[in-house]
Amino acid sequence: MTAPIPTGKYATLLGTVSAHALFGGYYAATRPEGAGWRFFSWHPMLMMVGMVGMMGAAALTKKRGGYTNTKLHGIMAWFGMLLAGCGLYVIYQNKENMGKAHFTTFHAKVGLTAFSGCILPGVAGAVFLHPDFGIDKQNKIYRSVHKYASRALLLLAWTATISGLKTLIGDDIQTLIIFAAPLVLVAPFTLV
């Protein structure tokens, strides 16, 4: 087991994922340039806050260790799933309103895989690993599968955010690199 993340580093990492979720979410929500805020805008905003902000914070908080942080981790992760579910509803309804096919792009397929994939570790965490009433909370195999599957799904979700922005702005490599930079910086502390 690795040492818990020190408070100063935790605050910096938490601030980074939170700021990226909010500012990156708003930036993506108002693309292409001049589009402004519209019904569709809720999709990238909710997905970024849910899958980057809340899920990233949940992963970092769990790494702090301890009973309270473990419970906070579960609450934040499920709240992130709720927000992402709302984001999924928005894009589904937006496609319906426009008469477009669903889940046809790389972004859509990766995003749906990440979102639906997160349900199983979430349920397993709540049922088997909850520190108060988990039915098999000491099982090292469940804990390991939960940890590594969740990290892989989080990476997949972050990939979906970058591919989603690329769908909105095209091949503006400089903007995509700037957008991805905060995720690259926090990945070693969040996903490893």
Side-chain angles (χ1 to χ4, degrees), residues 162 165-166 169-181:
I162 297 163
L165 183 63
K166 185 179 183 316
I169 67 168
D171 293 326
D172 181 352
I173 301 301
Q174 182 178 359
T175 300
L176 291 169
I177 290 170
I178 292 169
F179 184 82

Side-chain angles (χ1 to χ4, degrees), residues 53-141:
M54 295 305 296
M55 293 290 225
L60 290 166
T61 300
K62 177 62 182 148
K63 288 184 169 214
R64 299 271 295 157
Y67 172 82
T68 301
N69 288 324
T70 298
K71 289 181 79 169
L72 284 172
H73 153 81
I75 292 165
M76 287 189 283
W78 275 108
F79 188 64
M81 284 291 294
L82 175 66
L83 292 173
C86 292
L88 180 61
Y89 167 78
V90 167
I91 195 59
Y92 189 88
Q93 191 59 51
N94 192 62
K95 295 267 188 184
E96 284 291 308
N97 293 345
M98 296 172 57
K100 291 187 174 183
H102 299 282
F103 311 117
T104 59
T105 64
F106 174 78
H107 164 70
K109 291 172 185 173
V110 169
L112 182 63
T113 301
F115 176 77
S116 57
C118 284
I119 294 169
L120 185 58
V123 170
V127 172
F128 295 102
L129 302 175
H130 192 284
D132 292 330
F133 51 78
I135 61 175
D136 208 2
K137 58 188 171 192
Q138 298 301 320
N139 188 311
K140 292 187 186 305
I141 294 172

Side-chain angles (χ1 to χ4, degrees), residues 4-58:
I5 299 173
T7 302
K9 184 186 277 187
Y10 172 73
T12 301
L13 294 168
L14 192 62
T16 302
V17 295
S18 299
H20 180 62
L22 292 172
F23 294 115
Y26 180 80
Y27 180 79
T30 56
R31 297 305 102 189
E33 185 70 38
W37 193 270
R38 58 220 186 269
F39 179 69
F40 164 81
S41 300
W42 287 105
H43 169 67
M45 189 64 170
L46 288 166
M47 289 300 202
M48 286 287 292
V49 172
M51 298 302 270
V52 175
M54 295 305 296
M55 293 290 225

